[in-house]
Amino acid sequence: MLTEEIKQQRHQARQQRLKAQVDAAVARASIEKGLLLVITGNGKGKSTAGFGTVARAVGHGLTAAVVQFIKGSWECGERNLLQQHGVEFSVMATGFTWDTQDKAADIAAAELVWQDAERFLADDSLDLVLLDELTYMLSYHYLPLERIEQALLNRPAKQHVVITGRACHRRLLELADTVSEIAAVKHAFDNGVKAQRGLDW
Ligand code: ATP
Ligand code: MG
């Protein structure tokens, strides 16, 4: 049997090797640029992660703006909080819903809110732009891919962008620097639990 001392020495050696690897990787990562992040997948946590990033940025004194691409609950905890900290919101308040009935009205609403997105993506005083649920505008063919692509590619070099939503278009995944896919391992809704204020919106 290994003595405690030998175990401890081995553990220390392993940790030292790990630290050397991490330090080397950190030293290699020297590029600074505006990043495009995509948070997609069927699990809960995409918008939460997007808003978490906005809160993180604002906490450092950076500037941020948010575009919400679907008509959600009237209330949104993050909006209530972040607007008080100077974060401008543009919300697709009319039109698109999950049970969409009127495609022309949806497209008009998408177009209107996208104009704000374009304004934010051209504004070099903004450090971060969150495009919450943007992916659906492409899957429903409400906005042309080329326009979104151009606005993302032409944005200020240091501006970060976070895109959330399920089934993200392949082209946006290609353009992104970081892509996370959240898996739905389990969700309370499947057991009849309704959406909870402060947790789900
Ligand atoms: P959140 O806003 O909580 O981070 P999300 O952005 O990942 O969630 P959306 O697809 O935008 O997920 O859906 C928003 C709402 O649907 C939230 O109330 C969320 O709790 C709920 N939801 C998310 N994923 C699931 C799921 N797999 N099954 C059922 N409900 C879900
Ligand atoms: Mg969401």
Side-chain angles (χ1 to χ4, degrees), residues 99-112:
D99 53 343
T100 179
Q101 305 289 326
D102 184 346
K103 193 163 180 192
D106 288 352
I107 291 174
E111 171 64 33
L112 207 61

Side-chain angles (χ1 to χ4, degrees), residues 68 70-77 79-80 83 91-95 97 201:
Q68 291 180 292
I70 61 163
K71 176 185 174 181
S73 332
W74 289 112
E75 259 200 289
C76 165
R79 193 159 74 227
N80 296 345
Q83 276 180 335
V91 184
M92 195 166 157
T94 54
T97 61
W201 81 85

Side-chain angles (χ1 to χ4, degrees), residues 94-166:
T94 54
F96 184 78
T97 61
W98 297 116
D99 53 343
T100 179
Q101 305 289 326
D102 184 346
K103 193 163 180 192
D106 288 352
I107 291 174
E111 171 64 33
L112 207 61
V113 83
W114 176 251
Q115 285 173 16
D116 278 336
E118 279 183 333
R119 176 165 63 81
F120 295 149
L121 293 169
D123 182 348
D124 66 4
S125 75
L126 283 174
D127 299 304
L128 173 67
V129 179
L130 169 61
L131 304 173
D132 190 37
E133 322 294 355
L134 175 69
T135 59
Y136 305 104
M137 298 301 104
L138 285 171
S139 32
Y140 281 74
H141 303 287
Y142 285 178
L143 292 171
L145 174 64
E146 297 69 35
R147 222 170 133 192
I148 294 174
E149 212 180 329
Q150 281 314 304
L152 290 171
L153 288 169
N154 295 329
R155 76 187 195 275
K158 288 196 173 164
Q159 188 183 74
H160 302 302
V161 174
V162 181
I163 292 172
T164 76
R166 296 176 193 209

